Amino acid sequence: MSNKNSYSAIPTDPERSNISIPSSKSRRRLYITMGAVVVSVAAAVVIGTTVFLGRKIEDVPQRNVIMMISDGFGPASETFARQYRQYTEGLGPKVILPLDEIHVGHSRTQSSSSLVTDSAAGATAFSCAMKSYNGAIGVDPEEVPCGTVLESAKIHKNMLTGLVATSRITHATPGAFSAHVAWRDWENAIAEQQIGHNPLGRTVDLMFGGGKCEFLSSQAVGTCRNDSRDLLQEAKEQFGWEVKLTKEEFDEIEPENTQLPVMALFAPGHMSYEIDRDSSKQPALHEMASKALSILKAKSQKENKGFFLMIEGSRIDMAAHTNDPATHVHEILEYQRTVELVKKFVDENPTTVLISTSDHETGGLTAGRQIGDNYPEYLWYPEVIQKVVNSSEALSEAWSVAVENNSTSTKYLKEVLIESGLGIKDIKKEELQKVYDWNNSNKTVEELAYVFGDMVSRRALIGWSTHGHTAVDVNLYAKGPGTESLRGSHENTDIGDFITDYLGLNLQDITIKLKESQLINAQQQFDKRPTDKNPAVYHG
């Protein structure tokens, strides 16, 4: 039973339609008072039949769901990555990507507050099977917590659960499956709920990704918490978490002998882009997914239970926000590698379902672009993308450091950053000037990254319409029993409904339990979430 509601129109309430980000000082957390409700974990219940969007399918033991989310990945990005791979590997046009083989339809993405969604509302649609406003993390349009598929899988079915992401593990997408806050930026509170400070108790068994700073005391180096709580220590002492903070510790994990819950956090913030990643310090997405699947499979076989695992290619979106085509394509190809291994897992474990889709499209990417007034040729240049060896983010950060250290030079900018980093030899004076103009501006390092990304995009004839999101439908991919019901055009909430039905979950019951817990009156004790008319500016 899902949290089904009717949202027939986009509300015009200006307090919901346009939201700006609060400062760190004015963040208000929607806390769920801990210890108010003690919820017992129920044993798995055998269901005779399961309904898939109106179709009955016989139940089977140890059902698994692997929900993959390619943040910010639109249909044009699939074409872009496929053609790039065909070109760089000398393949013919009939060679397709792993996702192409399981393409079943598309997902419609609007939120309850806007025709253009953000990742928080998008992920809440998947997790709660419910439309909510942009910025909502596991709450409905009235800011009331909604039960998620991950929580019901744990509470009602005693299943194993996991989150894998290349963003902060407290970011919008993983957060929406594992926490309930009224505003996506309250990641301190999301971290608290993820480790187990939740009226439902601990519902997550495994977390791999970035975001260590959200768990460190405000007195620690590299923290981004606003209080002195050491959540890593609390996780170990109060909830029994095994905590890994290095690639070496991650590599030493033996799936057969791993004790749950386990978390591995590899970066203070987001993990590195694939194009920049140091393999000795951070695993790739496919490595994290592979280890997570091995752990969950070994544990599920020992305990005779299924699992729910969410895997997010988080930074596909962030590269598109920067309009950085080379970084974008490398993030996509790493996601495709991950899809390939998950597809193999489904083949070897036939009661497993794989669903892959995006929360939204980012950037308005086009493979083909008109530069100037002259009618364009019908082409784009993958070879330009192939020469890039660093993300625009890494290059802009390097230049920013040089500016701070008063060590900038045209030689460094031209030869090291642009020629070596971007593979561009025909740099123009006006392009160099744009970088120098940034030095004395009030623009962010991210805005400098736009300049480097544009140098590549123009030469490759890759177009972008925005640094934000768009409303286009996104592709829907699926493999496994019952997924034929996902063919065609679906609202993003249908995906949450499908998971609910396949696993025999009861989201409404979880919602009731959350409502019955004692909630702190946020309006009285904390500032309200932002509701002014300025546009929201954030990634995902």
Side-chain angles (χ1 to χ4, degrees), residues 94-378:
K94 289 189 176 182
V95 176
I96 57 178
L97 295 172
L99 279 177
D100 289 322
E101 298 173 349
I102 57 171
H103 185 196
V104 297
H106 66 259
S107 170
R108 306 190 297 270
T109 63
Q110 68 188 52
S111 70
S112 72
S113 64
S114 177
L115 293 173
V116 181
T117 190
D118 79 327
S119 290
T124 296
F126 301 145
S127 67
C128 290
M130 174 185 291
K131 295 281 188 182
S132 197
Y133 58 89
N134 287 2
I137 297 292
V139 297
D140 69 15
E142 302 306 317
E143 302 184 12
V144 176
C146 53
T148 74
V149 292
L150 181 148
E151 291 168 335
S152 182
K154 171 60 69 178
I155 300 299
H156 294 129
K157 297 296 182 180
N158 196 26
M159 296 173 70
L160 303 172
T161 61
L163 302 169
V164 174
T166 51
S167 66
R168 296 186 298 272
I169 203 67
T170 53
H171 207 235
T173 300
F177 283 85
S178 55
H180 308 276
V181 296
W183 180 249
R184 57 179 290 162
D185 265 7
W186 301 334
E187 294 186 45
N188 286 186
I190 292 172
E192 293 162 19
Q193 294 183 41
Q194 286 177 327
I195 66 170
H197 290 299
N198 186 303
L200 300 173
R202 179 183 60 78
T203 59
V204 185
D205 293 308
L206 178 150
M207 296 193 295
F208 293 163
K212 180 174 66 175
C213 74
E214 301 291 345
F215 297 82
L216 297 176
S217 164
S218 59
Q219 300 172 21
V221 176
T223 184
C224 49
R225 287 196 66 80
N226 295 323
D227 58 35
S228 60
R229 294 176 65 179
D230 183 342
L231 291 192
L232 295 181
Q233 197 62 30
E234 289 183 25
K236 295 175 188 177
E237 295 177 353
Q238 299 181 34
F239 301 102
W241 284 88
E242 288 286 332
V243 177
K244 313 293 183 182
L245 299 178
T246 67
K247 175 65 158 47
E248 291 77 12
E249 291 177 330
F250 174 79
D251 290 339
E252 291 170 359
I253 294 176
E254 297 179 357
E256 293 288 339
N257 301 317
T258 300
Q259 296 299 312
L260 299 178
V262 60
M263 75 170 79
L265 305 177
F266 305 100
H270 302 311
M271 295 178 68
S272 297
Y273 281 124
E274 183 61 22
I275 197 172
D276 300 323
R277 183 176 61 86
D278 183 341
S279 60
S280 69
K281 295 182 179 179
Q282 295 183 11
L285 179 64
H286 80 271
E287 294 175 299
M288 293 192 292
S290 178
K291 183 143 292 187
L293 286 171
S294 296
I295 292 170
L296 294 175
K297 180 177 180 178
K299 200 71 172 178
S300 67
Q301 289 178 335
K302 288 180 181 179
E303 300 182 5
N304 192 32
K305 60 180 66 172
F307 66 79
F308 173 83
L309 175 64
M310 191 286 296
I311 302 171
E312 184 189 29
S314 318
R315 305 212 70 193
I316 296 171
D317 166 77
M318 298 173 196
H321 276 290
T322 311
N323 291 179
D324 181 346
T327 302
H328 187 58
V329 80
H330 283 287
E331 290 299 302
I332 295 168
L333 294 176
E334 175 55 26
Y335 186 82
Q336 299 279 354
R337 283 187 281 271
T338 308
V339 169
E340 187 62 29
L341 74 87
V342 174
K343 286 168 58 181
K344 182 179 179 182
F345 186 93
V346 173
D347 288 336
E348 296 171 350
N349 300 271
T351 60
T352 302
V353 161
L354 159 64
I355 302 169
S356 177
T357 193
S358 306
D359 43 4
H360 54 76
E361 194 274 346
T362 301
L365 179 142
T366 60
R369 177 176 180 174
Q370 179 173 335
I371 302 292
D373 296 330
N374 294 332
Y375 193 82
E377 294 185 68
Y378 298 156

